Amino acid sequence: MTPERFARGMTFADYVKFTGSPENLGREGFDVRRFALVHPRLDWSQFLAERYARARLTDGQAAAIKQLAAQPGGPAKILIISEDWSSDCRRDVPYLARLAEAGGLELRIFIRDADTMQRKGLPDPGAHPNADLVREYANEKNGQKFATVPVAVFFTRDFVELHRYVEYPAVYQKDRVLGALRAARAGETEEQSKARGGRDIGALLESPFPDVWAHAAIAEIISALHERLLTS
């Protein structure tokens, strides 16, 4: 990562504006409630703005990130790869913006996809303006690398990587939770199961639990940064 490359990203305010723009809405997206691709994508700009307005760190989290940022070699910059169709991004990115503010960190956001959604694997080099970042900060499971969101990479002032947060906090067993909600119930047809599962997922996303998981993500990040600075 270089200062010039980092500077090409969007601030959080710019990102919110972008999500409601014709350029963004014309891209392919995904709706987890229907578990289906959507084109044009839904406009989440107001949701993101309102979630940011409500998002609050705990006093302890705010004090901790300030303390870490003040240390030599402490966190100074956050690079985020995001897509607004992702409920994980909508959950975490506003809180990451609050974390950046509390610590005085510079934050820049880059979109992951081109006009169509990256369904699997990685984009080809040069496939779109952010393909280099998507490839550099790919997720890896079971020996396979793939594009993912959100990714939040924490750097020192000189762009030494300190920590990388990927997708969701460890306490949120996403596959198990969503799998249980989408699982067929006795007597349901396939169509009924899909519709009911979508409603249940929608209710979950509007419940208090996304805030619980967002706070868990912030705590996990702060703890990892503390450990890195203490042991490096």
Side-chain angles (χ1 to χ4, degrees):
M1 178 53 56
T2 65
E4 295 76 18
R5 185 69 181 95
F6 182 79
R8 285 160 57 187
M10 294 178 276
T11 65
F12 179 75
D14 289 339
Y15 177 67
V16 172
K17 291 178 183 177
F18 172 76
T19 60
S21 69
E23 178 185 358
N24 182 58
L25 298 178
R27 299 191 300 139
E28 186 177 66
F30 184 79
D31 186 353
V32 70
R33 297 165 299 182
R34 288 180 277 171
F35 212 75
L37 296 172
V38 291
H39 194 197
R41 65 173 59 190
L42 303 175
D43 184 349
W44 290 103
S45 57
Q46 184 175 350
F47 176 92
L48 287 168
E50 292 175 353
R51 182 160 177 77
Y52 168 77
R54 295 192 305 269
R56 295 290 184 273
L57 304 187
T58 67
D59 290 344
Q61 289 171 342
I65 192 62
K66 288 177 183 176
Q67 179 177 320
L68 292 170
Q71 294 183 29
K77 302 177 187 295
I78 311 175
L79 178 152
I80 297 175
I81 300 175
S82 179
E83 284 292 345
D84 58 282
W85 55 257
S86 163
S87 61
D88 293 322
C89 292
R90 298 194 302 270
R91 179 193 66 236
D92 287 342
V93 172
Y95 274 83
L96 289 166
R98 289 298 190 190
L99 183 68
E101 290 173 2
L105 313 183
E106 188 177 4
L107 179 148
R108 290 293 183 272
I109 301 175
F110 299 81
I111 58 173
R112 188 196 74 170
D113 297 334
D115 289 340
T116 56
M117 191 176 113
Q118 183 79 33
R119 293 176 178 80
K120 61 181 180 179
L122 295 170
D124 292 332
H128 60 80
N130 293 330
D132 59 329
L133 301 180
V134 176
R135 293 176 62 86
E136 177 69 21
Y137 303 114
N139 198 355
E140 184 171 1
K141 292 181 182 178
N142 302 318
Q144 300 293 318
K145 288 188 175 183
F146 54 93
T148 193
V149 285
V151 178
V153 188
F154 291 76
F155 297 100
T156 67
R157 195 169 305 279
D158 297 326
F159 289 100
V160 175
E161 184 176 336
L162 295 173
H163 178 63
R164 193 179 303 185
Y165 169 80
V166 179
E167 289 190 9
Y168 44 81
V171 296
Y172 175 31
Q173 298 295 309
K174 180 180 177 180
D175 290 343
R176 292 187 65 189
V177 170
L178 297 191
L181 292 175
R182 294 179 61 217
R185 306 290 190 263
E188 287 182 336
T189 65
E190 182 177 350
E191 184 175 338
Q192 289 171 336
S193 178
K194 183 176 181 179
R196 191 265 316 142
R199 291 193 300 270
D200 289 350
I201 290 172
L204 174 67
L205 296 179
E206 295 176 4
S207 77
F209 288 100
D211 284 330
V212 172
W213 296 322
H215 275 287
I218 296 299
E220 187 176 290
I221 289 166
I222 291 172
S223 181
L225 289 169
H226 174 259
E227 180 181 347
R228 173 63 185 270
L229 294 181
L230 190 65
T231 59
S232 61

